[in-house]
Amino acid sequence: MEVKNRITSLFDIQYPIVQAGMIWASGWRLASAVSNLGGLGILGAGSMYPEVLEEHIKKCKQATKRPFGVNVPMLYPDLEELMRVIVDNEVRIVFTSAGNPKTWTAFLKEKGITVVHVVSSVKFALKAQDAGVDAIVAEGFEAGGHNGRDETTSMVLIPLVKEQIQIPLIAAGGIATGRAMLAAMVLGADGVQIGSRFVASTEASSHNAFKNAVVDAKEGDTQLTLKELAPVRMLKNRFYEEVQAAYQQNASIAELKTLLGRARAKKGMFEGDMEQGELEIGQVSGLIHGIKPVATLFEDLITEYNRAVKEVFPL
């Protein structure tokens, strides 16, 4: 596999593969491993206090000399402090999500930082482009974690966004294999962002019980719910059943917030509570059959991509 395009040039990487900045999974070990193999590793700042993010940035810089970035979901507190840590530690690439890209894009770009924004619709892709971001991640309904309300699948979203924007496009949602990567690029993406597959990696900071639950997941084991708060796709467990029971009782938004509580994702994904935790993962978990080192995952992705290219486009 040898892909030289707008994404590899933008990030100065070998392969157009971005590891998603997932909360409770994307620490410095995962990010540096991906970057060292020629992709773009991303630290997930959504689950980090500012001082923790700073520690992970410093350790990532020690572990790799290759480019890496930080994902900042803009719905979390400590946002100004997180941005200060990013600037002070000379991070060169920032992915923003779950908020208005106009809020921070100009500030970051003035500091010489490459800015990418994650969207789930054409409308927000155009807003991000107008805000001056350098690239877009279009994330389909299949993706794990917080998701868009429109429920547009990656198969439809990627060409819709490609048709409307001029800047580089990264596809996300439902991509865990080399074949899916090729399909996304045929649909118009310049690169892919992979999340769920990297959750079930040796280097991910998520709890082993959660990794094993991802591996054991089958078709239909995830569901997008809690749309009234912030839509989230997660594995079905006891907490999920409690959410569904609340809906059957016509729970109010306030009651849903009380049920969700605080640190629910940390409880499940980081601490390993498989019953009461919020277990955020994508539909593609049904295709994940083992916990593997990042080096093996990369080899699998690239080998399958190359094989698929030959099969689909024979000389």
Side-chain angles (χ1 to χ4, degrees):
M1 173 188 180
E2 188 66 34
V3 179
K4 293 183 179 179
N5 64 14
R6 296 193 294 174
I7 286 299
T8 57
S9 297
L10 180 65
F11 299 137
D12 189 24
I13 56 179
Q14 186 177 357
Y15 304 114
I17 299 172
V18 176
Q19 162 248 312
M22 305 159 289
I23 63 169
W24 304 117
S26 304
W28 69 269
R29 289 183 178 85
L30 177 57
S32 62
V34 171
S35 290
N36 280 332
L37 287 162
L40 183 69
I42 302 285
L43 298 171
S47 52
M48 298 181 184
Y49 291 113
E51 62 272 19
V52 176
L53 175 60
E54 185 162 37
E55 177 186 352
H56 278 263
I57 291 171
K58 289 179 177 178
K59 287 184 175 179
C60 201
K61 285 187 173 183
Q62 291 173 351
T64 183
K65 301 305 178 186
R66 304 297 304 275
F68 69 91
V70 174
N71 176 274
V72 184
M74 294 190 285
L75 51 73
Y76 290 101
D78 296 324
L79 198 51
E80 292 189 9
E81 190 64 14
L82 289 172
M83 292 300 188
R84 183 195 64 77
V85 168
I86 286 168
V87 172
D88 287 353
N89 286 275
E90 299 182 337
V91 174
R92 308 319 308 162
I93 301 167
V94 170
F95 281 51
T96 54
S97 59
N100 187 345
K102 288 186 177 179
T103 309
W104 287 99
T105 297
F107 167 82
L108 293 169
K109 294 207 38 108
E110 286 172 4
K111 306 295 184 183
I113 295 171
T114 299
V115 181
V116 183
H117 193 65
V118 183
V119 303
S120 58
S121 69
V122 173
K123 179 176 75 173
F124 290 115
L126 290 171
K127 285 187 175 183
Q129 180 174 257
D130 290 343
V133 303
D134 296 287
I136 296 286
V137 174
E139 185 174 72
F141 167 69
E142 304 94 324
H146 292 289
N147 212 317
R149 288 183 167 82
D150 294 332
E151 300 191 8
T152 308
T153 63
S154 297
M155 190 82 175
V156 175
L157 181 63
I158 298 164
L160 280 176
V161 173
K162 179 67 174 181
E163 189 176 60
Q164 296 291 325
I165 67 169
Q166 286 75 52
I167 57 179
L169 171 61
I170 302 166
I175 302 168
T177 65
R179 289 183 177 276
M181 180 177 172
L182 175 60
M185 297 181 77
V186 170
L187 287 171
D190 299 292
V192 295
Q193 178 175 281
I194 297 174
S196 297
R197 175 64 272 194
F198 284 123
V199 167
S201 69
T202 307
E203 291 88 346
S205 51
S206 41
H207 197 281
N208 278 336
F210 176 48
K211 296 180 187 181
N212 286 321
V214 172
V215 170
D216 291 340
K218 303 294 187 292
E219 179 187 8
D221 282 352
T222 71
Q223 184 70 41
L224 189 73
T225 189
L226 293 173
K227 281 190 166 187
E228 295 81 357
L229 307 182
V232 61
R233 179 175 296 283
M234 57 187 177
L235 285 173
K236 296 175 181 177
N237 62 354
R238 187 180 299 173
F239 168 63
Y240 167 81
E241 297 300 336
E242 290 174 1
V243 171
Q244 300 318 299
Y247 277 120
Q248 292 177 2
Q249 298 296 320
N250 296 314
S252 66
I253 291 178
E255 289 170 330
L256 289 174
K257 285 183 178 178
T258 299
L259 176 59
L260 178 62
R262 290 182 57 83
R264 181 76 70 170
K266 179 182 181 182
K267 180 181 291 187
M269 298 158 70
F270 192 68
E271 296 176 352
D273 187 336
M274 295 296 100
E275 296 298 326
Q276 288 298 325
E278 180 183 292
L279 308 175
E280 300 180 11
I281 203 70
Q283 284 182 331
V284 81
S285 53
L287 279 174
I288 296 171
H289 306 308
I291 301 168
K292 301 179 180 180
V294 168
T296 303
L297 296 182
F298 251 73
E299 182 179 356
D300 291 347
L301 278 168
I302 293 164
T303 299
E304 185 175 304
Y305 176 94
N306 287 333
R307 186 183 302 126
V309 168
K310 292 177 181 178
E311 290 177 1
V312 178
F313 307 109
L315 294 177

